[in-house]
Amino acid sequence: MDGAGARTSWDSGRRDRAARLEAAGQYADGKIFAAEHATALLEAVIKPFDRICVEGDNQKQADFLASALAAADPARLHDLHVVQSGVVLPEHIDLFRRGIAKKLDFSYSGPQGGALARALRSGIIELGAIHTYLELFARYFMDLTPRVAIIAAAAADRQGNLYTGANTEDTPTIVEATAFKHGIVVAQVNELVETVPRVDIPGDQVDFVTVSPRPFYVEPLFTRDPASLTELHVLMGMLAIKGIYAPYGIRRLNHGIGFATAAIELLLPTYGASLGLRGRIATHWALNPHPTLIPAIEGGWVEQVHCFGSEVGMQDYIRARPDIFFTGRDGSLRSNRALCQVAGLYACDLFIGATLQIDLAGNSSTVLPDRIAGFGGAPNMGSDPHGRRHASEPWLKAGAEAASVGGQGAPGRKLVVQLVETFGEKMTPVFVERLDCHDLAESQGWAVAPIMIRGDDVTHVVTPEGIANLLLCATPEERAQAIRGVAGYTEVGRARDPEIVARLRARGAIQYPMDIGIDPLAARRQLLAARSIRDLVRWSQGLYEPPAKFRNW
């Protein structure tokens, strides 16, 4: 056999790993290294142009090690390719400002959305793509495998076994991709113990561990203060429950982040009960442990919740409700973002969430000229998976509606609902003729505009004006007019065609509150099962311990 061009080595990855471990060994006692050696150890295990993941999750952050890496010498570490789901800490942006990192592939940026937009415009960051969570996780095992992963856990033993506690989130996925492709895994933990309560990550997949000077940061991303809910949120919640949840019989669902979805959760034990819906809707959830879900849990509405991550202050409540949550033998929550994303994609019949912009085709985006918030899991939750092969009543009903106006394809449809006010912050219209993300894509030379949820997956748009059922729209023009029909006093809404809107309303493609027996004046805050954080604590029988910034008593 001609050997020209054949490989001469089949274990270069292992040999490179061994060399890095040897270089870093001087800073560690076995697998344990002191916090003051963090920057030096990272400089030893990371090389220029490496692909790395600094565990930024949706909530949990390897913040101490991120700071240590940002303090590295740019002459030693530069041109790194960062692949991580969440870019949410200032240190994540500092890597690029200091020239340590150059290229970025991510999913969600949250509080760093503004800084990320500025860095992109200035050329500090070369952006690969904005991914959905599952999309990025999948690429970890294909062409974006990390060479070094920097992660966070609650505790470790001296063998490197990790206990992630309630906030497992992305950790298993990151470690799996890195450790089994001869990469280096470095962990920060809150404490070193003799025996971990639960082995979430086996020690043979972890190379180095340090005890952080402070517990890793967890953002209370899913806490919504009921005191901030307005009567518009209550009205939208009533419309969703009576106009969508009830007629479709939605039992398996996911809620996105937002005040209007929090209102739905708080209306289930009151308004939902008045409609006789307990046991008929909202029983099985793919959802972080939202505090606003506590009254529905206590009221017997919820049968099961699988979580992407945890939520600050909910640990004791979760421990006391093992029939509801997935918990380990130690009693703590076992969250897993990848598996919960899969549940949201394939096992849920409805996703309902918010966005910053919607166009006339129903496309939505959270990418604005001065803010790139990313997508997170919304495109996974908010898509109709063509690979689905099991039937359910909501899925079949939605499919039948689409077929009634000539829609073709699978016999069923997943319900994907956008729940928005007609105007956002600073009275910026949510409904637009053209998404801003198209302009950004053109200016950056991107082949694909960063649309969050594509319009052909969206089945309903709910605003305080009413519900647009896009399943019952036969043409793109009817879709556009249905969206205009609920867009309120925006320019998009004012350009509606009254005759087409009336025809769509007669068909049920547009439903105003009075069409389904809702009096907007009845949408009062008194309908909420809890109207303050303190009320949620009472509902939880004192088990919920809200973050300090939410305690006002």
Side-chain angles (χ1 to χ4, degrees):
M1 180 177 178
D2 186 356
R7 294 184 61 145
T8 58
S9 171
W10 297 97
D11 64 348
S12 59
R14 289 181 178 176
R15 289 187 286 106
D16 178 72
R17 166 183 158 77
R20 295 178 190 232
L21 291 176
E22 183 179 1
Q26 61 183 306
Y27 303 109
D29 177 11
K31 293 189 175 185
I32 310 303
F33 67 96
E36 58 264 29
H37 294 149
T39 297
L41 183 136
L42 293 174
E43 288 179 337
V45 298
I46 302 173
K47 296 180 180 180
F49 301 98
D50 269 352
R51 188 182 303 116
I52 68 165
C53 177
V54 183
E55 189 170 22
D57 296 342
N58 195 293
Q59 296 169 277
K60 179 178 72 171
Q61 309 299 323
D63 53 347
F64 168 67
L65 289 178
S67 297
L69 181 58
D73 181 357
R76 295 192 60 177
L77 290 184
H78 54 84
D79 293 288
L80 300 181
H81 181 182
V82 176
V83 294
Q84 63 195 53
S85 56
V87 179
V88 299
L89 298 177
E91 291 84 356
H92 294 156
I93 302 296
D94 288 343
L95 291 176
F96 295 91
R97 287 176 177 150
R98 299 198 63 233
I100 296 170
K102 179 61 177 176
K103 188 173 182 180
L104 173 66
D105 282 274
F106 80 110
S107 296
Y108 167 76
S109 60
Q112 295 305 316
L116 180 59
R118 292 190 293 273
L120 186 64
R121 285 198 305 271
S122 65
I124 293 173
I125 290 178
E126 176 188 334
L127 187 62
I130 307 174
H131 303 71
T132 78
Y133 283 135
L134 281 180
E135 182 180 19
L136 184 59
F137 296 161
R139 292 190 71 189
Y140 284 172
F141 296 92
M142 295 297 288
D143 59 329
L144 293 184
T145 305
R147 197 76 193 89
V148 177
I150 296 169
I151 64 172
D157 61 22
R158 289 198 165 271
Q159 289 70 49
N161 295 305
L162 301 184
Y163 170 63
T164 54
N167 291 93
T168 299
E169 296 199 54
D170 299 7
T171 314
T173 308
I174 297 167
V175 172
E176 179 87 7
T178 307
F180 288 94
K181 203 64 182 69
H182 321 306
I184 306 289
V185 176
V186 184
Q188 70 172 74
V189 298
N190 296 343
E191 59 178 339
L192 196 64
V193 297
E194 287 297 320
T195 305
V196 291
R198 186 179 78 211
V199 177
D200 291 315
I201 305 294
D204 64 357
Q205 299 174 23
V206 179
D207 298 296
F208 296 106
V209 175
T210 190
V211 178
S212 172
R214 59 187 182 277
F216 60 75
Y217 176 69
V218 183
E219 183 181 4
L221 188 62
F222 296 90
T223 298
R224 292 292 179 269
D225 187 345
S228 298
L229 300 183
T230 68
E231 292 177 348
L232 282 182
H233 297 135
V234 174
L235 176 57
M236 287 192 290
M238 294 169 69
L239 284 165
I241 290 172
K242 191 169 185 181
I244 299 175
Y245 289 38
Y248 290 96
I250 299 298
R251 297 190 63 186
R252 306 179 305 180
L253 70 161
N254 167 258
H255 276 186
I257 305 173
F259 287 105
T261 46
I264 295 172
E265 293 156 18
L266 292 171
L267 286 168
L268 289 174
T270 56
Y271 181 66
S274 73
L275 299 175
L277 295 176
R278 192 175 77 169
R280 295 170 51 198
I281 66 168
T283 57
H284 292 74
W285 299 72
L287 193 73
N288 270 49
H290 291 191
T292 45
L293 196 62
I294 291 173
I297 294 172
E298 296 300 302
W301 285 73
V302 179
E303 295 181 23
Q304 186 167 291
V305 182
H306 186 259
C307 300
F308 307 93
S310 189
E311 188 66 3
V312 179
M314 286 289 284
Q315 289 85 344
D316 289 344
Y317 182 76
I318 291 166
R319 187 181 301 273
R321 301 292 183 269
D323 282 353
I324 303 298
F325 296 97
F326 286 73
T327 57
R329 302 297 185 267
D330 67 318
S332 72
L333 179 71
R334 171 63 171 189
S335 61
N336 187 302
R337 188 164 308 282
L339 294 182
C340 202
Q341 288 287 327
V342 172
L345 176 62
Y346 279 107
C348 285
D349 289 319
L350 174 140
F351 162 79
I352 185 167
T355 187
L356 299 179
Q357 285 188 334
I358 299 177
D359 68 14
L360 294 178
N363 298 305
S364 66
S365 177
T366 54
V367 173
L368 304 180
D370 59 350
R371 179 183 174 191
I372 302 176
F375 305 145
N380 300 141
M381 307 293 106
S383 65
D384 182 36
H386 294 175
R388 175 169 166 166
R389 290 298 181 269
H390 71 282
S392 63
E393 290 186 15
W395 186 77
L396 292 171
K397 179 179 174 65
E401 285 189 335
S404 72
V405 292
Q408 297 179 352
R413 283 287 301 271
K414 181 179 180 180
L415 293 161
V416 176
V417 183
Q418 295 287 36
L419 184 68
V420 295
E421 296 181 59
T422 54
F423 288 91
E425 294 181 3
K426 300 178 181 179
M427 292 304 291
T428 302
V430 171
F431 293 92
V432 296
E433 301 277 348
R434 174 182 164 89
L435 299 175
D436 286 335
C437 67
H438 290 292
D439 296 330
L440 181 63
E442 290 173 3
S443 68
Q444 295 292 322
W446 296 342
V448 178
I451 291 169
M452 183 174 69
I453 297 179
R454 292 180 179 141
D456 54 4
D457 280 324
V458 177
T459 62
H460 296 76
V461 177
V462 180
T463 75
E465 300 291 319
I467 301 171
N469 183 344
L470 305 184
L471 292 168
L472 293 174
C473 296
T475 65
E477 182 187 17
E478 287 190 348
R479 254 179 108 80
Q481 287 297 326
I483 291 171
R484 290 186 190 277
V486 297
Y489 201 64
T490 61
E491 287 188 18
V492 166
R494 295 198 304 273
R496 71 188 65 172
D497 184 316
E499 291 186 6
I500 298 177
V501 166
R503 187 165 69 245
L504 291 173
R505 187 178 178 188
R507 187 189 301 165
I510 295 176
Q511 293 179 315
Y512 293 127
M514 63 286 292
D515 298 335
I516 55 174
I518 293 177
D519 178 3
L521 296 179
R524 311 291 292 177
R525 279 181 41 82
Q526 284 72 16
L527 282 175
L528 298 172
R531 294 188 286 278
S532 67
I533 291 288
R534 192 171 188 177
D535 285 347
L536 293 176
V537 174
R538 292 195 188 103
W539 269 102
S540 76
Q541 301 175 52
L543 293 168
Y544 171 46
E545 297 182 5
K549 70 178 183 179
F550 289 101
R551 298 182 72 95
N552 56 5
W553 65 93

